[in-house]
CSV table of all heavy atoms in Angstrom, one decimal:
chain,number,residue,atom,x,y,z
J,276,VAL,N,0.9,-1.2,0.0
J,276,VAL,CA,0.0,0.0,0.0
J,276,VAL,C,0.9,1.2,0.0
J,276,VAL,O,1.7,1.5,0.9
J,276,VAL,CB,-0.9,0.0,1.2
J,276,VAL,CG1,-1.8,1.3,1.3
J,276,VAL,CG2,-1.9,-1.2,1.2
J,277,SER,N,0.8,2.0,-1.0
J,277,SER,CA,1.6,3.2,-1.2
J,277,SER,C,0.9,4.4,-0.5
J,277,SER,O,-0.3,4.7,-0.6
J,277,SER,CB,1.8,3.6,-2.7
J,277,SER,OG,2.4,4.9,-2.8
J,278,PRO,N,1.7,5.2,0.3
J,278,PRO,CA,1.2,6.4,0.9
J,278,PRO,C,0.6,7.4,-0.2
J,278,PRO,O,-0.2,8.3,0.1
J,278,PRO,CB,2.4,7.0,1.6
J,278,PRO,CG,3.3,5.9,1.8
J,278,PRO,CD,3.1,5.0,0.7
J,279,SER,N,1.1,7.3,-1.4
J,279,SER,CA,0.7,8.2,-2.5
J,279,SER,C,-0.8,8.0,-2.8
J,279,SER,O,-1.4,8.9,-3.4
J,279,SER,CB,1.5,8.0,-3.7
J,279,SER,OG,1.2,6.7,-4.3
J,280,TRP,N,-1.4,6.9,-2.3
J,280,TRP,CA,-2.8,6.7,-2.5
J,280,TRP,C,-3.7,7.4,-1.5
J,280,TRP,O,-4.9,7.4,-1.7
J,280,TRP,CB,-3.1,5.2,-2.6
J,280,TRP,CG,-2.4,4.4,-3.6
J,280,TRP,CD1,-1.9,4.9,-4.8
J,280,TRP,CD2,-2.1,3.0,-3.7
J,280,TRP,NE1,-1.3,4.0,-5.6
J,280,TRP,CE2,-1.4,2.8,-4.9
J,280,TRP,CE3,-2.4,2.0,-2.8
J,280,TRP,CZ2,-1.0,1.5,-5.2
J,280,TRP,CZ3,-2.0,0.7,-3.2
J,280,TRP,CH2,-1.3,0.5,-4.3
J,281,TYR,N,-3.1,7.8,-0.4
J,281,TYR,CA,-3.9,8.3,0.7
J,281,TYR,C,-4.3,9.8,0.5
J,281,TYR,O,-3.4,10.6,0.1
J,281,TYR,CB,-3.2,8.3,2.0
J,281,TYR,CG,-2.9,6.9,2.6
J,281,TYR,CD1,-1.8,6.7,3.4
J,281,TYR,CD2,-3.7,5.8,2.3
J,281,TYR,CE1,-1.6,5.4,4.0
J,281,TYR,CE2,-3.5,4.6,2.9
J,281,TYR,CZ,-2.4,4.4,3.7
J,281,TYR,OH,-2.2,3.2,4.3
J,282,ALA,N,-5.5,10.2,0.8
J,282,ALA,CA,-5.9,11.6,0.8
J,282,ALA,C,-5.1,12.3,1.9
J,282,ALA,O,-4.8,13.5,1.8
J,282,ALA,CB,-7.4,11.7,1.0
J,283,SER,N,-4.8,11.5,3.0
J,283,SER,CA,-4.1,12.1,4.2
J,283,SER,C,-2.7,12.6,3.8
J,283,SER,O,-2.2,13.5,4.5
J,283,SER,CB,-4.0,11.0,5.3
J,283,SER,OG,-5.2,10.6,5.7
J,284,THR,N,-2.1,12.1,2.7
J,284,THR,CA,-0.8,12.5,2.3
J,284,THR,C,-0.8,14.0,2.0
J,284,THR,O,0.1,14.7,2.4
J,284,THR,CB,-0.3,11.7,1.1
J,284,THR,OG1,-0.3,10.3,1.5
J,284,THR,CG2,1.1,12.1,0.7
J,285,ALA,N,-1.8,14.4,1.3
J,285,ALA,CA,-1.9,15.9,0.9
J,285,ALA,C,-2.3,16.7,2.1
J,285,ALA,O,-1.9,17.9,2.2
J,285,ALA,CB,-2.9,16.0,-0.2
J,286,GLU,N,-3.0,16.1,3.0
J,286,GLU,CA,-3.5,16.9,4.2
J,286,GLU,C,-2.4,17.2,5.2
J,286,GLU,O,-2.3,18.3,5.7
J,286,GLU,CB,-4.6,16.2,4.9
J,286,GLU,CG,-5.9,16.0,4.0
J,286,GLU,CD,-6.9,15.1,4.7
J,286,GLU,OE1,-6.8,14.8,5.9
J,286,GLU,OE2,-7.9,14.7,4.0
J,287,HIS,N,-1.6,16.2,5.6
J,287,HIS,CA,-0.6,16.4,6.7
J,287,HIS,C,0.7,15.6,6.5
J,287,HIS,O,1.6,15.9,7.1
J,287,HIS,CB,-1.2,16.0,8.0
J,287,HIS,CG,-1.9,14.7,8.1
J,287,HIS,ND1,-1.1,13.5,8.0
J,287,HIS,CD2,-3.1,14.3,8.2
J,287,HIS,CE1,-1.9,12.5,8.0
J,287,HIS,NE2,-3.2,12.9,8.2
J,288,GLY,N,0.7,14.7,5.5
J,288,GLY,CA,2.0,14.0,5.2
J,288,GLY,C,2.4,13.0,6.2
J,288,GLY,O,3.5,12.4,6.0
J,289,ARG,N,1.7,12.8,7.3
J,289,ARG,CA,2.1,11.9,8.3
J,289,ARG,C,1.6,10.5,8.0
J,289,ARG,O,0.7,9.9,8.6
J,289,ARG,CB,1.6,12.3,9.7
J,289,ARG,CG,2.2,13.7,10.2
J,289,ARG,CD,1.9,14.0,11.6
J,289,ARG,NE,0.4,14.0,11.8
J,289,ARG,CZ,-0.3,15.1,11.6
J,289,ARG,NH1,0.2,16.2,11.2
J,289,ARG,NH2,-1.6,15.0,11.9
J,290,VAL,N,2.2,9.9,7.0
J,290,VAL,CA,1.8,8.6,6.5
J,290,VAL,C,3.1,7.8,6.1
J,290,VAL,O,4.1,8.3,5.9
J,290,VAL,CB,0.9,8.7,5.2
J,290,VAL,CG1,-0.4,9.4,5.6
J,290,VAL,CG2,1.6,9.5,4.1
J,291,VAL,N,2.9,6.5,6.1
J,291,VAL,CA,4.0,5.6,5.8
J,291,VAL,C,3.5,4.4,4.9
J,291,VAL,O,2.3,4.2,4.9
J,291,VAL,CB,4.7,5.0,7.0
J,291,VAL,CG1,5.4,6.1,7.8
J,291,VAL,CG2,3.7,4.2,7.9
J,292,PRO,N,4.3,3.8,4.1
J,292,PRO,CA,3.9,2.6,3.4
J,292,PRO,C,3.5,1.5,4.4
J,292,PRO,O,3.9,1.5,5.5
J,292,PRO,CB,5.1,2.2,2.6
J,292,PRO,CG,6.0,3.4,2.6
J,292,PRO,CD,5.7,4.1,3.9
J,293,THR,N,2.7,0.6,3.9
J,293,THR,CA,2.3,-0.6,4.7
J,293,THR,C,2.0,-1.7,3.8
J,293,THR,O,2.1,-1.6,2.6
J,293,THR,CB,1.1,-0.2,5.6
J,293,THR,OG1,0.9,-1.3,6.6
J,293,THR,CG2,-0.2,-0.1,4.8
J,294,TRP,N,1.6,-2.8,4.4
J,294,TRP,CA,1.2,-4.0,3.7
J,294,TRP,C,-0.1,-4.5,4.2
J,294,TRP,O,-0.4,-4.7,5.4
J,294,TRP,CB,2.3,-5.1,3.9
J,294,TRP,CG,2.3,-6.1,2.8
J,294,TRP,CD1,1.5,-7.3,2.6
J,294,TRP,CD2,3.1,-6.1,1.6
J,294,TRP,NE1,1.8,-7.9,1.5
J,294,TRP,CE2,2.8,-7.2,0.8
J,294,TRP,CE3,4.1,-5.2,1.2
J,294,TRP,CZ2,3.4,-7.4,-0.4
J,294,TRP,CZ3,4.7,-5.4,0.0
J,294,TRP,CH2,4.4,-6.5,-0.8
J,295,ASN,N,-1.1,-4.7,3.2
J,295,ASN,CA,-2.3,-5.3,3.5
J,295,ASN,C,-2.3,-6.8,3.3
J,295,ASN,O,-1.6,-7.3,2.4
J,295,ASN,CB,-3.5,-4.7,2.7
J,295,ASN,CG,-4.0,-3.4,3.2
J,295,ASN,OD1,-3.6,-3.0,4.3
J,295,ASN,ND2,-4.9,-2.8,2.4
J,296,TYR,N,-3.0,-7.6,4.1
J,296,TYR,CA,-3.0,-9.0,4.0
J,296,TYR,C,-4.1,-9.7,4.7
J,296,TYR,O,-4.7,-9.1,5.6
J,296,TYR,CB,-1.6,-9.6,4.4
J,296,TYR,CG,-1.3,-9.3,5.8
J,296,TYR,CD1,-1.7,-10.1,6.9
J,296,TYR,CD2,-0.5,-8.2,6.2
J,296,TYR,CE1,-1.3,-9.9,8.2
J,296,TYR,CE2,-0.2,-7.9,7.5
J,296,TYR,CZ,-0.6,-8.7,8.5
J,296,TYR,OH,-0.2,-8.5,9.8
J,297,VAL,N,-4.4,-10.9,4.3
J,297,VAL,CA,-5.4,-11.8,4.9
J,297,VAL,C,-4.7,-13.1,5.2
J,297,VAL,O,-4.0,-13.7,4.3
J,297,VAL,CB,-6.6,-12.0,4.0
J,297,VAL,CG1,-7.5,-13.0,4.6
J,297,VAL,CG2,-7.3,-10.7,3.7
J,298,THR,N,-4.7,-13.5,6.5
J,298,THR,CA,-4.1,-14.8,6.8
J,298,THR,C,-4.8,-15.5,8.0
J,298,THR,O,-5.5,-14.8,8.7
J,298,THR,CB,-2.6,-14.5,7.1
J,298,THR,OG1,-1.9,-15.8,7.3
J,298,THR,CG2,-2.4,-13.8,8.4
J,299,ALA,N,-4.6,-16.8,8.1
J,299,ALA,CA,-5.1,-17.5,9.2
J,299,ALA,C,-4.0,-18.5,9.6
J,299,ALA,O,-3.3,-19.1,8.7
J,299,ALA,CB,-6.4,-18.3,8.9
J,300,HIS,N,-3.8,-18.7,10.9
J,300,HIS,CA,-2.9,-19.7,11.4
J,300,HIS,C,-3.8,-20.8,12.0
J,300,HIS,O,-4.4,-20.5,13.0
J,300,HIS,CB,-2.0,-19.1,12.5
J,300,HIS,CG,-0.9,-18.2,12.0
J,300,HIS,ND1,0.0,-17.5,12.7
J,300,HIS,CD2,-0.6,-17.8,10.7
J,300,HIS,CE1,0.8,-16.8,12.0
J,300,HIS,NE2,0.4,-16.9,10.7
J,301,VAL,N,-3.8,-21.9,11.4
J,301,VAL,CA,-4.6,-23.0,11.8
J,301,VAL,C,-3.8,-24.1,12.5
J,301,VAL,O,-2.8,-24.6,11.9
J,301,VAL,CB,-5.4,-23.6,10.6
J,301,VAL,CG1,-6.3,-24.7,11.0
J,301,VAL,CG2,-6.1,-22.6,9.8
J,302,ARG,N,-4.0,-24.3,13.8
J,302,ARG,CA,-3.2,-25.2,14.6
J,302,ARG,C,-4.0,-26.5,14.9
J,302,ARG,O,-5.2,-26.4,15.1
J,302,ARG,CB,-2.8,-24.6,15.8
J,302,ARG,CG,-1.9,-23.3,15.6
J,302,ARG,CD,-1.6,-22.6,16.9
J,302,ARG,NE,-1.1,-21.3,16.7
J,302,ARG,CZ,0.2,-21.1,16.6
J,302,ARG,NH1,1.1,-22.1,16.7
J,302,ARG,NH2,0.7,-19.8,16.3
J,303,GLY,N,-3.3,-27.6,15.0
J,303,GLY,CA,-4.0,-28.9,15.4
J,303,GLY,C,-3.0,-30.0,15.3
J,303,GLY,O,-1.8,-29.9,15.1
J,304,THR,N,-3.6,-31.2,15.4
J,304,THR,CA,-2.9,-32.4,15.4
J,304,THR,C,-2.9,-33.0,13.9
J,304,THR,O,-3.9,-33.0,13.3
J,304,THR,CB,-3.4,-33.5,16.3
J,304,THR,OG1,-3.4,-33.0,17.7
J,304,THR,CG2,-2.7,-34.8,16.3
C-alpha cells in the first residue's frame, strides 16, 4: 500500500507505506 494513494498525504503528510494481507494460522494435530 503506497502512501501516495492516501488523501491524508496531501493533508498532513504523516503517512508511511504498509502491507495489507489476509491470513489464518490453523493449529492442530
